[in-house]
Structures are given as structure tokens and as C-alpha cells.
């Protein structure tokens, strides 16, 4: 009985527990040595496992598995239910959602068989936490409320219902439903702090709510009060959360150095705890802080680390989908077993009827035959119904399997593209930044030593670096918008001749620097039906590349003509041309680096990738003809606007 009460106290919340029990781990281990191999020893092992939950996940799992093995040996169902619950919590801490839910379900099944409302309440709440980690907030709230329904059975002596109200409040907060979050958190706060088993956790949630409500003074006061309360306690989770919210508040107030200090402290706590979802959010915050501090490389490192952790979360979701698929497969097998059982029962019944018919053959042979036929018909109908159910279930399983395969393929493709894109950013963004910093340092500290000619030369270099950086960041933004479906490709009627003239005007100065002539004989009135911004981006990128790879004194031609329902635009230069090795992967993202221009201009390699995507989104095609040393010609098509579309545009 003593150990059962100990477990109840230690499982009051899945994220925090009291100092008293954590401090008694050594005492519990000493007591365990004097216990026999009976039910008390099972509960003692569960007590130790619970004490390690937020400190050392490996130790918690070790003692929970020992408890489960002994409980199975003793056929002690309460001990088995407790053990599965504790093992599930260790899986949940490691973000192994499918394994955690499986353990919680086993705990529920066993606890239901012995009518243990306490374990049922905890298991439903822990499944709620799994749904929270999967960002399925509606199901999370549903499971927390189902756990809360057991309060009428457990009575007021179990303070866990206060924790459940905090959990519901936190879930509403994560789902950005602030009024509901405040309602449940205030319900928990209404109790005496001595009665609240995880008071520090509640204060941290209230702080998060005030930050979302932009009540920064109240948040600051709550953070200090929370720290004074949890500082002497051994629980690392509440301390990590407190430091995390302190860092957010300091960042909002503009105190970047203090924000970095608190964020680093939170990061070390989360690493020790091993919670991937918490480590992901602190890495995102540290990336933002380092960016504010001007430490670009460190910001990028934290961002990449957060992406790795996020990929792990996606992997957990994929495993959870696999878990659902396995459940469906188990249901199908159960239906097959029921079908076989129905067949055996039908055959047995038919044999009995046949025997009775033989015994009374001279009395009821006709009635027996009719009854037999009727029974066979009923059996056949039942089999038809079962076959229909089985066919429907098989169809659903095939659809689910296909969806899972497509999802995994899309995930792998997304991760591959993301890694390649970050490689481009990491290489090409650093180069113009370093160039800018070097030129600025030279002009700032050695201006007096420079001649006017040298100063003018360095200012020209600085101007070109800024333009290269602007072009790179512009292409990166366009690429990110395209990949996140931010750009809505809504077609409009616009004049392609005017668009070509605008691009010529935009790059005229750049061409004059290299003494390049832009030949544009196109007149206005070439009406097309496309998304103006994306098509103008294509023209600018192609014209910029033509100037970039044309030698001094060369020529770039802009040409447009009608071609089978399309306007065909050509950007032609007499520059250096493109080698076959580069041409093969010209419109693909990969490990290649961009080729410097004839004046050593820099680029990211994303411009042509954007051109291909934007042209195809608008229903056109893009091609290239090139010869090394003679130049290149890029052609792309845009749909011609119909007379009705043109009329609507000017009406």
C-alpha cells in the first residue's frame, strides 16, 4: 500500500514532480534491497523508475522493465499496468510516439480488466501528451478531458485533476486559443499552491500565456517568482522552461546579450533531459538571437540543428502512421479469423442437421432438406457480407499504404532539396558578405592612404558586391516563396513588349559598365496571359545572366514573336557559351557552384532554377541553345492573351 501511494504521488504530472520523492531515490534503492520478490518489490521498482523520469530516461526505463518482468512472473496485473505506463513515458520522452502509445494502450487494457481508475486516468492523459507532441491538439484535448472524467471515481483526494487542467490550458495555448487557455490555467491557479503538485509548471505556463498576450511586465514578474520557487528543486524541466521564457522576454525587450545567456542555460538543460521537441524550439530561438548578435555562422548552425530535430519529429509522425497501418492490418486479420470461425460453425451446424435428418428420414426428410437449404442460404448471405467488409477494408489498406509511401517519398525529396539549398546558401552567401566586410574595412580604416583612382575602384567593387548580394537574396526569397506556395500564380493580361523594355531600362547601366549593347527592337502590344511578377523575374534573371557572361564590348539581343498560341521570347548573347558538363544539369538544384561572369561576377545558381519553375507554372517551356566561345540563346514561351481576355482587361 505504501508503494502504491508513492507511485500515485510521483505520477501526478508527466512533466514535473516534487523534490521530496526525487531526493529519496537512494532511500528507495536501499529499501528495495530488503524486499522479497513479491508485489511490493514491483511497486518499489516502479517508484524508482518514476523518480528518474525527468532526470535520467535510461535509468527510468531500466527499472520499469525490471518491474514489468517481475509483475508478469507474479501475474500481478496492477504492477503490469503501472510498468507499461512508465515504459510508455520513457518512449514519449525520446519522441518514440508509436511505441509510447502502444505501451499506454496495453496499460489501459490491463487497468480496465482490474477496474483501476487511477492508471486509466494517467494512461489517457499520457496519450494526450503524445497527441500534443504530434501537434494534433484537438485529439490531445479530447484525451485530457477523458482523463478528467475519472475525477468522479477518484475523488478529491487525488490532486491529479489540477494537473489535467494545466495540461488542457497548455494545449489550448499551443493551439493559439488564448481565452480557453487562460480559463483552464486560472482554474488550476485557484487552488492553494500547496495542493498543486507541479506549481512551477503552472507558473511557467502562465508566463507563456502572458508573453502571447504581450503583457510583458506581468510575464517578467511571473518569471522571477517562478525561478525563486523552482531554484532549490532538482527538476530540470521546469528550470529549462523558465530560462527559455526568460530568453524570449529579453529578446522582445531588445536585451540580446541577456537573451543569449538565458537561452544557452535552457539549451544545456534540454540536452540533459533529451526532449527533441524542446531542443528544436530552443535551437530556433538561439538561431534568432545569434542572428540579432550578428553571428551569422552560429545562427545558421543552430537553424540546421533545429531542422535535424524537426526531421526527427517528422520521422516519429511517419512511425505513428505505420503504427496506424499495423492496427488496420490487425483488424483485417481479426475479420479473417471471424470469417473462418463462422465457416467452421456453419459446417458443424450443417453436419448436426444432416444427422438429425438421417435419424428422422422416414418422418421428416422433406422438412429436413428444406431447413438445410435455408441454413445454407443464410450462411452464404453472411459470407457475402463478411466478404464485402473484407474487400472494403483491403481497399482502404491499399489506399493508406499508397498514401504512406507517397508521403515518405515526398519527405525524402524535400529533405534532399533542403540540404542542397542550404549548401548553396552556406557557400554563396558567405562570399559576398566577406567581400563587403573587407571593402568596408579598407575604406573605413585606410581611406587616407588611397588615391582618388583607388578609392573610385574600391567603391565600384563595393557597388558590384552589393548588387550581387541583392540579386542573391532576391533569388533566395523568390525560391523560398515558391517552395512554400506563398506565390499565387494568378494570370493577368499584360504587355510583354513593355516588360522587355522595363528590364532593358533596369539593366542598361550594368551593360554600359561592360560596354555591352542591348538590342531590343520589340514594340508594345504583345499581350500575354500570365502571372506578371514571375514572368518579369524570368526576364530579369536571363538578361542579368546574358550581361554577366558576355565579354566587354559584346551584344545582348531581346526578341519576341508569336508562335502557335504563345509569345516566344529570346534572350541571346555572344558571350562565353556553356560547357556540356554544366548544360546537363543547368536547370537542376545540386552540388554545383555558379560560374563566375566575364568580370568575375558572382551568383548562386538559383536564377535558372527559378526561371524554369516560373515559366512552367505559367504554362510555358524554357530551352537553351549554346556553343562554347560563341554565346547562348535562352528561349521561353508564354500563353497569348485571347481577345476576350484583352477586352475584359480594358473594360
Amino acid at each position: 500500500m505504501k508503494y502504491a501511494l508513492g507511485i500515485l504521488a510521483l505520477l501526478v504530472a508527466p512533466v514535473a514532480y516534487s523534490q521530496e520523492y526525487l531526493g529519496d531515490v537512494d532511500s528507495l534503492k536501499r529499501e528495495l534491497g530488503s524486499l522479497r520478490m513479491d508485489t511490493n518489490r514491483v511497486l518499489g521498482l516502479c517508484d524508482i523508475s518514476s523518480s528518474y523520469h525527468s532526470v535520467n530516461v535510461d535509468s527510468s526505463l531500466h527499472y520499469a522493465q525490471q518491474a514489468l518482468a517481475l509483475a508478469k512472473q507474479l501475474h500481478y496485473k496492477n504492477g503490469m499496468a503501472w510498468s507499461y505506463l512508465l515504459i510508455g513515458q520513457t518512449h514519449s520522452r525520446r519522441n518514440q510516439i508509436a511505441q509510447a502509445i502502444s505501451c499506454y494502450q496495453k496499460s489501459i487494457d490491463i487497468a480496465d480488466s482490474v477496474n483501476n481508475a487511477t492508471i486509466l486516468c494517467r494512461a489517457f492523459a499520457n496519450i494526450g501528451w503524445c497527441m500534443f507532441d504530434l501537434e494534433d491538439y484537438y485529439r490531445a484535448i479530447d484525451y485530457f478531458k477523458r482523463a478528467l472524467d475519472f475525477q468522479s471515481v477518484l475523488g478529491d483526494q487525488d490532486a491529479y485533476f489540477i494537473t489535467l487542467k494545466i495540461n488542457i490550458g497548455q494545449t489550448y495555448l499551443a493551439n493559439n486559443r488564448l481565452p480557453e487557455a487562460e480559463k483552464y490555467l486560472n482554474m488550476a491557479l485557484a487552488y492553494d499552491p500547496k495542493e498543486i503538485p507541479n506549481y512551477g509548471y503552472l507558473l511557467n505556463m502562465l508566463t507563456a500565456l502572458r508573453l502571447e498576450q504581450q503583457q510583458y511586465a506581468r510575464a517578467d514578474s511571473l518569471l522571477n517568482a517562478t525561478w525563486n520557487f523552482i531554484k532549490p528543486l532538482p527538476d530540470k524541466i521546469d528550470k529549462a522552461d523558465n530560462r527559455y521564457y526568460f530568453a524570449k522576454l529579453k529578446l522582445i525587450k531588445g536585451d540580446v546579450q541577456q537573451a543569449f545567456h538565458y537561452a544557452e542555460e535552457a539549451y544545456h538543460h534540454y540536452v540533459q533531459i533529451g526532449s527533441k521537441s524542446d531542443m528544436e524550439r530552443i535551437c530556433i530561438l538561439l538561431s534568432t538571437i545569434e542572428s540579432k548578435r550578428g553571428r551569422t555562422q552560429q545562427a545558421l548552425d543552430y537553424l540546421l540543428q533545429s531542422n535535424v530535430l524537426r526531421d526527427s519529429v517528422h520521422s516519429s509522425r511517419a512511425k505513428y502512421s505505420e503504427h496506424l497501418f499495423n492496427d488496420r492490418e490487425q483488424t483485417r486479420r481479426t475479420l479473417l479469423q471471424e470469417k473462418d470461425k463462422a465457416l467452421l460453425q456453419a459446417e458443424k451446424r450443417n453436419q448436426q442437421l444432416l444427422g438429425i435428418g438421417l435419424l428422422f428420414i422416414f418422418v421428416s426428410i422433406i422438412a429436413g432438406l428444406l431447413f438445410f437449404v435455408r441454413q445454407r442460404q443464410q450462411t452464404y448471405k453472411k459470407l457475402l457480407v463478411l466478404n464485402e467488409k473484407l474487400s472494403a477494408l483491403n481497399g482502404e489498406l491499399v489506399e493508406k499504404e499508397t498514401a504512406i509511401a507517397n508521403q515518405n517519398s515526398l519527405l525524402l525529396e524535400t529533405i534532399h532539396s533542403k540540404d542542397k539549398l542550404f549548401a548553396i546558401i552556406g557557400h554563396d552567401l558567405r562570399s559576398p558578405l566577406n567581400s563587403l566586410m573587407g571593402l568596408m574595412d579598407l575604406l573605413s580604416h585606410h581611406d587616407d592612404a588611397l588615391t582618388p583612382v583607388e578609392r573610385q575602384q574600391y567603391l565600384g567593387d563595393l557597388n558590384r558586391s552589393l548588387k550581387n548580394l541583392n540579386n542573391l537574396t532576391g533569388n533566395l526569397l523568390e525560391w523560398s516563396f515558391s517552395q512554400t506556395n506563398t506565390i499565387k500564380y494568378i494570370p493577368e493580361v499584360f504587355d510583354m513588349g513593355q516588360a522587355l523594355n522595363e528590364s532593358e531600362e533596369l539593366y542598361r547601366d550594368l551593360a554600359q559598365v561592360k560596354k555591352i549593347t542591348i538590342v531590343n527592337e520589340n514594340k508594345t502590344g504583345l499581350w500575354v496571359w500570365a502571372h506578371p511578377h514571375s514572368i518579369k523575374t524570368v526576364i530579369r534573371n536571363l538578361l542579368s545572366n546574358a550581361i554577366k557572361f558576355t565579354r566587354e564590348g559584346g551584344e545582348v539581343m531581346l526578341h519576341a514573336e508569336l508562335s502557335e498560341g504563345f509569345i516566344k521570347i529570346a534572350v541571346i548573347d555572344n558571350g562565353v557559351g556553356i560547357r556540356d558538363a554544366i548544360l546537363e544539369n543547368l536547370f537542376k538544384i545540386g552540388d554545383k557552384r555558379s560560374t563566375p561572369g566575364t568580370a568575375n561576377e558572382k551568383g548562386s545558381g538559383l536564377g535558372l532554377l527559378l526561371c524554369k519553375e516560373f515559366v512552367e507554372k505559367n504554362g510555358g517551356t524554357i530551352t537553351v541553345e549554346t556553343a562554347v566561345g560563341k554565346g547562348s540563346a535562352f528561349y521561353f514561351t508564354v500563353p497569348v492573351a485571347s481577345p476576350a481576355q484583352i477586352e475584359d482587361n480594358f473594360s
Side-chain angles (χ1 to χ4, degrees):
M1 183 63 181
K2 175 182 69 174
Y3 282 108
L5 292 174
I7 295 172
L8 183 61
L10 287 167
L11 288 174
V12 157
V15 295
Y17 49 85
S18 67
Q19 179 185 15
E20 175 185 354
Y21 286 96
L22 185 62
D24 288 340
V25 172
D26 292 335
S27 174
L28 289 171
K29 288 182 179 179
R30 287 193 296 270
E31 287 187 30
L32 188 67
S34 62
L35 294 176
R36 294 181 296 175
M37 303 294 285
D38 58 8
T39 57
N40 283 330
R41 186 175 182 85
V42 173
L43 297 177
L45 289 166
C46 288
D47 267 348
I48 298 173
S49 174
S50 298
S51 300
Y52 274 119
H53 175 61
S54 292
V55 178
N56 190 312
V57 177
D58 292 335
S59 297
S60 179
L61 177 61
H62 171 74
Y63 284 101
Q65 288 174 335
Q66 284 192 12
L68 178 61
L70 181 56
K72 286 182 176 179
Q73 182 181 341
L74 299 172
H75 303 286
Y76 178 40
K77 290 191 174 181
N78 274 319
M80 292 165 62
W82 279 120
S83 301
Y84 275 124
L85 183 65
L86 291 163
I87 293 172
Q89 288 182 351
T90 63
H91 286 310
S92 180
R93 178 66 65 195
R94 288 171 171 168
N95 211 38
Q96 298 167 343
I97 304 301
Q99 296 93 319
I101 292 177
S102 177
C103 289
Y104 294 146
Q105 191 59 57
K106 291 177 183 178
S107 178
I108 289 172
D109 293 340
I110 298 171
D112 188 54
S113 69
V114 294
N115 199 27
N116 191 322
T118 300
I119 299 178
L120 287 169
C121 177
R122 270 59 174 182
F124 278 118
N126 286 350
I127 293 178
W129 275 115
C130 290
M131 295 299 107
F132 183 94
D133 289 337
L134 291 171
E135 299 180 0
D136 191 347
Y137 300 123
Y138 290 98
R139 287 190 182 181
I141 291 171
D142 178 64
Y143 276 105
F144 286 140
K145 289 184 176 179
R146 288 171 68 180
L148 198 59
D149 290 341
F150 288 95
Q151 182 55 36
S152 59
V153 179
L154 299 176
D156 293 335
Q157 73 275 10
D158 184 1
Y160 191 65
F161 71 96
I162 302 176
T163 298
L164 289 172
K165 291 177 181 178
I166 302 174
N167 294 346
I168 295 172
Q170 182 179 2
T171 308
Y172 276 127
L173 179 60
N175 202 21
N176 204 31
R177 296 172 61 179
L178 303 186
E180 293 92 336
E182 185 160 23
K183 172 186 172 183
Y184 277 91
L185 292 176
N186 284 336
M187 287 169 64
L189 191 63
Y191 293 91
D192 188 334
K194 296 180 181 178
E195 297 178 2
I196 302 175
N198 38 24
Y199 188 58
Y201 168 46
L202 172 58
L203 292 178
N204 277 332
M205 288 304 98
L206 283 169
T207 298
L209 176 63
R210 300 308 174 210
L211 287 173
E212 289 297 324
Q213 294 172 333
Q214 299 183 5
Q215 298 179 9
Y216 301 131
R218 296 181 68 183
D220 190 24
S221 177
L222 273 170
L223 283 169
N224 286 293
T226 305
W227 182 250
N228 291 334
F229 175 78
I230 65 177
K231 185 176 181 180
L233 302 179
D235 193 304
K236 296 177 181 178
I237 296 177
D238 284 345
K239 290 179 179 177
D241 287 344
N242 179 268
R243 303 289 88 176
Y244 170 80
Y245 293 124
F246 248 127
K248 288 190 69 175
L249 180 61
K250 294 298 182 183
L251 183 61
I252 290 169
K253 291 185 174 182
D255 191 348
V256 179
Q257 189 59 38
Q258 278 296 313
F260 175 74
H261 169 74
Y262 286 121
E264 261 202 328
E265 195 172 347
Y267 176 84
H268 292 308
H269 284 306
Y270 285 138
V271 169
Q272 292 176 359
I273 295 165
S275 174
K276 293 183 178 179
S277 57
D278 289 328
M279 290 170 64
E280 178 197 356
R281 65 172 182 166
I282 193 61
C283 284
I284 292 173
L285 181 61
L286 277 166
S287 176
T288 303
I289 293 172
E290 291 286 28
S291 179
K292 294 284 186 182
R293 298 175 71 201
R295 292 157 56 98
T296 306
Q297 185 59 48
Q298 289 83 348
L300 182 60
D301 290 343
Y302 278 119
L303 183 60
L304 291 174
Q305 187 176 349
S306 72
N307 279 322
V308 171
L309 294 166
R310 187 65 177 175
D311 289 344
S312 176
V313 174
H314 284 305
S315 176
S316 293
R317 290 179 180 171
K319 290 180 180 178
Y320 179 63
S321 298
E322 182 182 355
H323 172 71
L324 292 178
F325 175 80
N326 291 337
D327 281 349
R328 293 284 188 183
E329 181 66 16
Q330 184 62 38
T331 303
R332 187 180 72 85
R333 291 176 182 173
T334 302
L335 283 175
L336 286 172
Q337 291 173 356
E338 289 177 359
K339 177 183 175 182
D340 292 337
K341 185 177 179 181
L343 285 170
L344 290 173
Q345 289 177 347
E347 290 296 328
K348 184 177 181 181
R349 187 183 301 112
N350 291 336
Q351 290 175 4
Q352 291 174 347
L353 292 172
L354 182 60
I356 294 172
L358 291 173
L359 290 174
F360 298 96
I361 190 171
F362 296 105
V363 180
S364 57
I365 186 171
I366 298 176
L369 288 172
L370 291 174
F371 184 75
F372 176 77
V373 171
R374 184 184 176 193
Q375 289 296 316
R376 288 299 296 264
Q377 289 176 341
Q378 291 178 348
T379 301
Y380 181 71
K381 289 180 180 179
K382 290 181 180 179
L383 290 176
L384 286 177
V385 172
L386 286 174
N387 280 327
E388 288 176 358
K389 290 182 178 179
L390 184 60
S391 297
L393 184 58
N394 280 332
E396 185 179 350
L397 287 174
V398 170
E399 290 177 1
K400 293 291 185 183
E401 186 176 6
T402 302
I404 290 171
N406 291 337
Q407 184 181 13
N408 287 339
S409 176
L410 179 61
L411 180 61
L412 290 174
E413 183 179 348
T414 302
I415 292 172
H416 181 72
S417 295
K418 178 203 67 178
D419 292 340
K420 296 299 176 64
L421 181 60
F422 273 119
I424 291 173
I425 295 172
H427 177 271
D428 292 323
L429 191 58
R430 186 183 295 111
S431 178
L433 285 174
N434 289 338
S435 176
L436 283 173
M437 288 189 293
L439 288 170
M440 289 301 296
D441 182 71
L442 181 64
L443 291 172
S444 298
H445 297 91
H446 305 284
D447 183 65
D448 295 339
L450 298 175
T451 66
V453 174
E454 290 175 331
R455 188 180 298 108
Q456 188 65 28
Q457 178 185 350
Y458 288 135
L459 287 173
D461 292 342
L462 181 61
N463 183 48
R464 284 190 292 275
S465 294
L466 284 170
K467 288 181 178 179
N468 288 336
L469 182 59
N470 180 63
N471 186 49
L472 171 60
T473 54
N475 280 338
L476 288 175
L477 284 173
E478 294 282 0
W479 169 258
S480 65
F481 289 155
S482 175
Q483 296 305 298
T484 57
N485 293 322
T486 303
I487 299 175
K488 303 300 181 184
Y489 294 91
I490 301 174
E492 300 177 10
V493 173
F494 69 94
D495 187 354
M496 179 57 71
Q498 181 63 33
L500 291 170
N501 292 339
E502 290 174 0
S503 297
E504 177 196 359
E505 182 68 25
L506 181 65
Y507 284 97
R508 182 177 297 161
D509 291 342
L510 180 61
Q512 288 177 354
V513 171
K514 296 179 68 174
K515 299 179 181 178
I516 292 172
T517 302
I518 300 178
V519 179
N520 177 18
E521 298 177 351
N522 299 289
K523 299 180 180 180
T524 58
L526 299 173
W527 301 105
V528 295
W529 177 250
H531 178 241
H533 174 75
S534 59
I535 293 301
K536 290 178 181 179
T537 299
V538 173
I539 298 171
R540 290 196 301 271
N541 271 288
L542 293 179
L543 182 56
S544 174
N545 279 354
I547 295 171
K548 175 181 175 181
F549 293 107
T550 298
R551 300 180 184 88
E552 184 173 331
E555 180 180 273
V556 174
M557 178 182 295
L558 299 177
H559 180 70
E561 63 181 14
L562 183 64
S563 175
E564 298 179 351
F566 289 86
I567 294 296
K568 184 176 182 181
I569 298 93
V571 181
I572 306 169
D573 65 68
N574 57 359
V576 298
I578 304 171
R579 299 192 307 275
D580 290 342
I582 297 176
L583 187 63
E584 184 177 348
N585 297 306
L586 192 63
F587 294 107
K588 299 178 182 178
I589 187 168
D591 296 325
K592 66 180 186 300
R593 294 288 182 262
S594 64
T595 305
T598 57
N600 202 30
E601 299 97 329
K602 303 294 183 181
S604 66
L606 289 177
L608 291 179
L609 188 65
L610 278 174
C611 290
K612 177 178 173 60
E613 182 162 340
F614 284 172
V615 168
E616 291 178 351
K617 290 285 187 180
N618 283 280
T621 59
I622 184 168
T623 57
V624 60
E625 296 177 359
T626 184
V628 176
K630 296 182 180 180
S632 303
F634 284 84
Y635 302 93
F636 70 94
T637 60
V638 182
V640 172
S642 67
Q645 291 168 340
I646 297 172
E647 183 178 353
D648 289 342
N649 183 66
F650 290 99
S651 61

